[in-house]
Amino acid sequence: MELSYILNTFARVGAGIGTTLQLFFITIILSLPLGFVLMLLGRCRVAPLRWLVKGFVYLLRSTPLVLQLLFIYFGLPLLPVVGEYLITERFTATIIGFVLNYAAYFAEIFRGGLLAVGQGQFEAAQVLGLSSRQTVLHIVIPQMLRVAMPSVSNETITLVKDTSLMFTLAVPEVLQYAKSAVSSTGQTFPYVVAGIIYLVMNAVVTALLRRIEKKLEY
């Protein structure tokens, strides 16, 4: 295998890295706060709203992400009356699907982290004269994040791999370019290159997450 072919393949498949990273960062930036909001709404005192949020989270966590992407792009425009207003670009549909799906998972992770904060922490805060806002910001949230961080890290690593599902909607990303290269050359090496790219991205993300976890331990 010639060096020029190897370099050209890396350049060709690597052309999709930008789209992959764009989806990754947009999903993380939007799904984390949305997941936190869903967690709060799932614990609110308004029963109908609480049931609605819990049903929404259950639906997204119980169905495949690829099915959700297909429904958003192909299914929503077919709905009567409102369908014509729900037509989106392929990449936009992908972003919507990823953000909603990961927000549902993060909501459950945050809920588990919140449950891990003992009732004694709230009582101690009251004894110290802290307000509800101070208790939540300085006592509850830091402990919740410390407990939830390992699970958040796992989901973030999974997200790196799941970005390949853009392939389902023919969005030009790493796997799409690899498939195109395989089709034109008749060799499977582009798939190896795609695998290397995902491995490198995951290595970088894992290193960053470990640094964050260590800081939260103190």
Side-chain angles (χ1 to χ4, degrees), residues 13-176:
V13 177
I17 293 178
T19 304
T20 297
L21 292 177
Q22 189 176 356
L23 176 63
F24 173 81
F25 284 114
I26 291 176
T27 300
I28 287 295
I29 292 172
L30 297 181
S31 63
L32 280 171
L34 180 57
F36 186 76
V37 171
L38 289 175
M39 182 272 293
L40 294 178
L41 293 177
R43 297 175 58 85
C44 72
R45 297 180 180 180
V46 182
L49 179 59
R50 184 173 67 249
W51 297 336
L52 179 63
V53 171
K54 288 184 176 180
F56 176 76
V57 171
Y58 175 78
L59 176 64
L60 290 177
R61 293 180 67 240
S62 302
T63 55
L65 175 54
V66 64
L67 177 61
Q68 295 166 20
L69 294 176
L70 292 172
F71 177 76
I72 291 172
Y73 185 72
F74 294 107
L76 290 182
L78 298 179
L79 294 177
V81 183
V82 297
E84 61 180 308
Y85 304 106
L86 300 177
I87 300 175
T88 59
E89 296 292 336
R90 294 177 185 272
F91 187 61
T92 302
T94 304
I95 291 175
I96 294 172
F98 269 78
V99 170
L100 293 180
N101 181 273
Y102 273 83
Y105 278 93
F106 286 138
E108 282 298 291
I109 291 173
F110 291 144
R111 185 179 70 86
L114 184 61
L115 292 176
V117 180
Q119 185 62 33
Q121 299 293 325
F122 294 90
E123 296 173 354
Q126 290 180 345
V127 171
L128 293 174
L130 297 179
S131 64
S132 298
R133 180 174 178 275
Q134 290 174 322
T135 300
V136 171
L137 291 179
H138 302 294
I139 304 295
V140 177
I141 291 182
Q143 294 189 54
M144 180 197 73
L145 291 177
R146 189 176 297 114
V147 173
M149 191 59 205
S151 297
V152 170
S153 297
N154 287 335
E155 284 300 314
T156 303
I157 292 172
T158 300
L159 173 59
V160 175
K161 297 178 292 183
D162 278 353
T163 56
S164 62
L165 293 178
M166 284 189 284
F167 177 82
T168 305
L169 299 184
V171 177
E173 44 76 54
V174 171
L175 188 57
Q176 181 75 13

